[in-house]
Amino acid sequence: MKILSIISLVILSASLAHAAPDRVATVKATVNGMVCSFCAQGILAHFKKHPAVSDVHVDLTRKLVLLEERKGKSITDKEITEYIKKSGFEPVKVERVKESFDEAKGG
Amino acid sequence: MQSHLFSQLTQTKKLKIISTSILLAASAAAHPVAFEGAYQLMFGTAGDVQNFELYRSYSAQAAWGIHAMRFEGDEDEVFTGLQHNWLLKRWNLPSAQANVYAGLGAGLAGEVGNGSSPAGIGFFRADYETRRVYTAFDAKLVESADVSRGVFSAAVGIAPYKAEFDQLNTWLILQVEHVTGMEDNLEIIPKVRFFKGPYFLELGSTLRGQPVVNFMIHF
């Protein structure tokens, strides 16, 4: 019985550790080469199709792509860099920030 | 008046004018490859020439599609072909982007209702752009039984303001084009370029007063 409880605890901890956080998260990606909004339309097109992304914002001045993740869902860093490359640009850094999406947009 | 003058030209002269006009119209296409999965629809008019291009970018480095052109004269001329475009090299810099493109195409050209002959097209393009400065160089070669021409084009532009991603972008552009094999011919084209979202529009005129209109969309 004790062994069963330990196993259940381990499984529960493991699943909690791998679950996406149950909150809306903001991702900030720094991108090189984004100087033209017409050329950067691929960024919007690709990220809007991802089921974990609820909103996308491109900031040409700060060279940033901001993503808002849906509650309980997550997009991986690998997917983010892959989408940026498919759009024709060079990802420099991907970071998950504590600011809300609107706060991050505001600079 | 223009139609009357055109009808008096020899067939060779007509073909030269037609091929030159086609090339000038084709050189308006400034975005040979877009993002992976995108369709690029481009069409425009320069004087009596209409240009139509539809490409599918199957990666961020390559696209293929249809290229069709029509020249309106006493005898309308039509070119239709398939074209493949490559992005050979891109430099994604923190505040700039530079690109080198090349393309090859094959098709048919001729007078409407009067047969056509095989034609090939090749191009090379290099550009450099920041949010305030734009420069581009294009070289195009066309070969067919009747036509052997080269077109060299250079453009510089400035943006009067730095537009953000969701704002209307405005560019003031000066383009110079030279066509080989013709009488010395240097076409100077001042134009205004606007784009917002996936829509792109250019309005301008040659110094001889021929209107230049180009439209492009990504979807």
Side-chain angles (χ1 to χ4, degrees):
Chain A
M1 188 63 185
K2 197 176 176 183
I3 293 171
L4 270 177
S5 303
I6 292 169
I7 291 170
S8 308
L9 259 175
V10 169
I11 291 170
L12 184 64
S13 322
S15 61
L16 281 174
H18 284 90
D22 194 24
R23 63 178 180 82
V24 176
T26 306
V27 183
K28 201 184 263 191
T30 307
V31 180
N32 273 357
M34 284 197 316
V35 293
C36 158
S37 66
F38 185 70
C39 312
Q41 291 300 312
I43 298 269
L44 279 190
H46 283 122
F47 283 111
K48 278 187 170 176
K49 285 181 190 164
H50 196 285
V53 176
S54 58
D55 208 348
V56 187
H57 177 74
V58 177
D59 187 323
L60 298 179
T61 302
R62 293 187 293 157
K63 307 166 183 67
L64 289 177
V65 174
L66 298 171
L67 307 173
E68 185 182 54
E69 289 181 331
R70 290 186 198 282
K71 200 173 178 182
K73 293 188 175 178
S74 182
I75 181 169
T76 66
D77 288 7
K78 190 181 170 189
E79 286 174 312
I80 293 168
T81 55
E82 186 184 313
Y83 280 22
I84 292 168
K85 285 182 177 174
K86 280 182 178 180
S87 303
F89 300 99
E90 189 62 39
V92 177
K93 186 169 69 175
V94 176
E95 51 188 329
R96 283 155 206 278
V97 295
K98 289 181 180 173
E99 301 163 277
S100 72
F101 184 72
D102 286 336
E103 285 168 348
K105 272 169 68 174
Chain B
M1 179 65 179
Q2 281 179 336
S3 297
H4 179 65
L5 286 174
F6 190 81
S7 65
Q8 289 181 334
L9 296 173
T10 64
Q11 189 70 11
T12 311
K13 272 278 186 190
K14 280 183 184 177
L15 279 170
K16 281 183 178 176
I17 291 170
I18 289 161
S19 59
T20 302
S21 304
I22 283 171
L23 289 166
L24 287 172
S27 70
H31 220 201
V33 181
F35 56 90
E36 182 176 314
Y39 287 93
Q40 302 125 262
L41 173 64
M42 301 174 252
F43 56 88
T45 182
D48 294 328
V49 179
Q50 287 92 50
N51 182 66
F52 175 90
E53 292 169 82
L54 177 63
Y55 297 116
R56 163 80 168 172
S57 291
Y58 61 88
S59 77
Q61 288 80 37
W64 72 276
I66 300 165
H67 196 166
M69 288 159 280
R70 186 181 185 93
F71 180 88
E72 290 179 349
D74 284 354
E75 302 291 340
D76 284 1
E77 292 278 340
V78 174
F79 169 92
T80 309
L82 290 175
Q83 187 169 311
H84 194 283
N85 304 329
W86 292 271
L87 170 62
L88 298 179
K89 178 71 181 169
R90 170 167 287 167
W91 292 267
N92 280 312
L93 308 170
S95 299
Q97 189 185 74
N99 301 289
V100 178
Y101 298 96
L104 287 172
L108 296 169
E111 290 181 353
V112 175
N114 202 17
S116 53
S117 58
I121 185 168
F123 82 88
F124 170 85
R125 175 184 169 85
D127 59 43
Y128 171 85
E129 190 176 352
T130 70
R131 292 181 66 198
R132 294 297 295 270
V133 176
Y134 166 82
T135 58
F137 171 78
D138 276 283
K140 285 188 171 68
L141 295 170
V142 167
E143 291 286 339
S144 77
D146 303 310
V147 179
S148 177
R149 300 283 176 244
V151 177
F152 300 91
S153 159
V156 292
I158 55 162
Y161 58 94
K162 278 186 181 177
E164 259 309 331
F165 186 77
D166 50 359
Q167 293 176 322
L168 177 70
N169 289 249
T170 306
W171 286 83
L172 306 174
I173 293 173
L174 187 65
Q175 189 167 323
V176 180
E177 290 190 324
H178 173 67
V179 183
T180 62
M182 300 287 288
E183 292 173 12
D184 274 346
N185 174 347
L186 200 64
E187 204 72 76
I188 298 172
I189 305 169
K191 58 188 181 182
V192 186
R193 174 180 292 178
F194 302 104
F195 51 86
K196 185 176 181 183
Y199 306 102
F200 173 110
L201 177 68
E202 274 186 351
L203 300 171
S205 168
T206 66
L207 290 189
R208 292 188 290 171
Q210 294 170 298
V212 175
V213 181
N214 292 301
F215 176 78
M216 201 178 343
I217 184 171
H218 290 159
F219 54 98

